Structure formats: structure tokens, C-alpha cells
Amino acid sequence: THASGTDRVAEVARALPSLYYLNVQGDEPEISPALIDRVARALKSDPKADWVTAVRPCRGTTGLENPAVVKVVSDRAGYALYFSRAVIPHDRERGIPAKALLHVGIYGFRREALLAFSRLKPSHLERTEKLEQLRALEHGMRIRLVETREAPRSIDTPEDYRAFLARWKNRY
């Protein structure tokens, strides 16, 4: 009955108190332990961050038009301004996508921010884009972005799943 995965993590937070929580999204099982550690360290070291998540620079235009690939705009201090399934930012002068950051499916949360988030109703932007992090941004929460070069492949389609299984079987 939860509106989002983050609401499910908040249920765990109510039952198992801790200062911090990490959520690796199930559609990105190839996120490295090193990136998980980096997100955890960023959360612990930045008292202004309510959430922390990872982003990677977009190489070329692959995936930009795909609504399953979430794009992110950052402020100068490294916090999220907006997340979208659309191409953002867009270079109006040249009519092409500007330097884009792509979201990587991992989150770190402070307990108090996570519990506050779960008490909020899904917001207009969250319902429009189907992105729960917009609920947090609309309510003034700060999401620290950790930039990585990693490009874990998401599993969004049956074809993606078959490709993941093939990669997984060939790992060893």
C-alpha cells in the first residue's frame, strides 16, 4: 500500500531505529560495493543532506530520450534541483541536450528526514513524473548528489533482465 519505495524504507526505519538507511533499488543490482560506501560516507559527512543519491555524467545522447532513464539537474553546491524523465537541462540556443547527469538507483537517508518524508502525501510533481524524490524536493529537503563514473545497467524490460542474467552467469 506504500506510494513509493522510499515509503517502504521508512516502514523499516520505524521498526528498526538507526541514524542512517541505504536503499539500493532492485532494478539496479549491479551497483558496486564501492559506490554504496561512497553514498554512505557522503551521508555521514554532510549534515545538510537529508538524502544522498548517485549520478553519473551522460556520455553522448544514449538514453536521454528514454523515460526510464532519470535525468538530474544539480546546483553549484552539489545538491539536486530537479529530477525528470524528460531531457533536462536543454540547450535552447543550440536545440540539443546540455550536459546531463543521469540518476543511479541508490539512496541514503537520515532517519528524521525519511520519517518526515513518509508522513507527506505524494506531491503533484511526484505523481506527474512518477519520481518520489520530487516529493522531498517540493518540501524543501536537500538531496546531495555523489558523482560517479559507474554506469550500472538498469533492468526496465524483459530484454534488460535477460541481458543481466547473461552478464551474471558470465561473471564467474
Side-chain angles (χ1 to χ4, degrees), residues 52-117:
V52 175
T53 194
V55 295
R56 66 182 179 85
C58 181
R59 298 177 189 102
T61 58
T62 304
L64 281 178
E65 300 292 334
N66 182 348
V69 176
V70 176
K71 281 61 82 177
V72 186
V73 175
S74 173
D75 71 10
R76 290 176 184 231
Y79 293 92
L81 288 172
Y82 196 74
F83 294 79
S84 183
R85 295 182 181 284
V87 179
I88 58 170
H90 185 79
D91 186 330
R92 185 174 169 182
E93 295 286 317
R94 298 183 330 180
I96 61 169
K99 179 186 172 212
L101 293 172
L102 307 181
H103 183 245
V104 178
I106 179 173
Y107 292 102
F109 307 99
R110 292 188 183 288
R111 184 173 198 267
E112 63 274 10
L114 182 59
L115 296 178
F117 171 87

Side-chain angles (χ1 to χ4, degrees), residues 56-172:
R56 66 182 179 85
C58 181
R59 298 177 189 102
T61 58
T62 304
L64 281 178
E65 300 292 334
N66 182 348
V69 176
V70 176
K71 281 61 82 177
V72 186
V73 175
S74 173
D75 71 10
R76 290 176 184 231
Y79 293 92
L81 288 172
Y82 196 74
F83 294 79
S84 183
R85 295 182 181 284
V87 179
I88 58 170
H90 185 79
D91 186 330
R92 185 174 169 182
E93 295 286 317
R94 298 183 330 180
I96 61 169
K99 179 186 172 212
L101 293 172
L102 307 181
H103 183 245
V104 178
I106 179 173
Y107 292 102
F109 307 99
R110 292 188 183 288
R111 184 173 198 267
E112 63 274 10
L114 182 59
L115 296 178
F117 171 87
S118 72
R119 290 189 295 270
L120 301 168
K121 292 185 178 170
S123 67
H124 170 72
L125 291 175
E126 175 184 6
R127 289 189 311 273
T128 300
E129 295 258 18
K130 304 291 189 258
L131 297 170
E132 70 240 44
Q133 58 271 54
L134 294 176
R135 183 189 332 169
L137 291 179
E138 279 188 271
H139 288 278
M141 293 183 182
R142 298 193 77 194
I143 302 175
R144 162 68 67 195
L145 302 175
V146 173
E147 194 165 321
T148 182
R149 295 276 177 222
E150 281 188 36
R153 298 182 203 165
S154 292
I155 301 173
D156 299 309
T157 65
E159 295 79 23
D160 293 341
Y161 180 64
R162 285 190 288 277
F164 163 74
L165 288 178
R167 285 190 308 278
W168 190 255
K169 288 176 186 174
N170 290 327
R171 266 181 105 183
Y172 302 103

Side-chain angles (χ1 to χ4, degrees), residues 7-53:
D7 291 300
R8 288 189 289 277
V9 176
E11 181 176 333
V12 172
R14 282 189 288 279
L16 300 170
S18 180
L19 294 175
Y20 311 105
Y21 298 86
L22 293 175
N23 176 20
V24 177
Q25 293 185 304
D27 64 350
E28 292 204 27
E30 297 177 272
I31 290 176
S32 75
L35 183 55
I36 295 169
D37 288 345
R38 285 188 62 213
V39 168
R41 282 193 307 275
L43 183 62
K44 287 180 74 173
S45 68
D46 184 351
K48 294 179 184 175
D50 297 302
W51 294 20
V52 175
T53 194

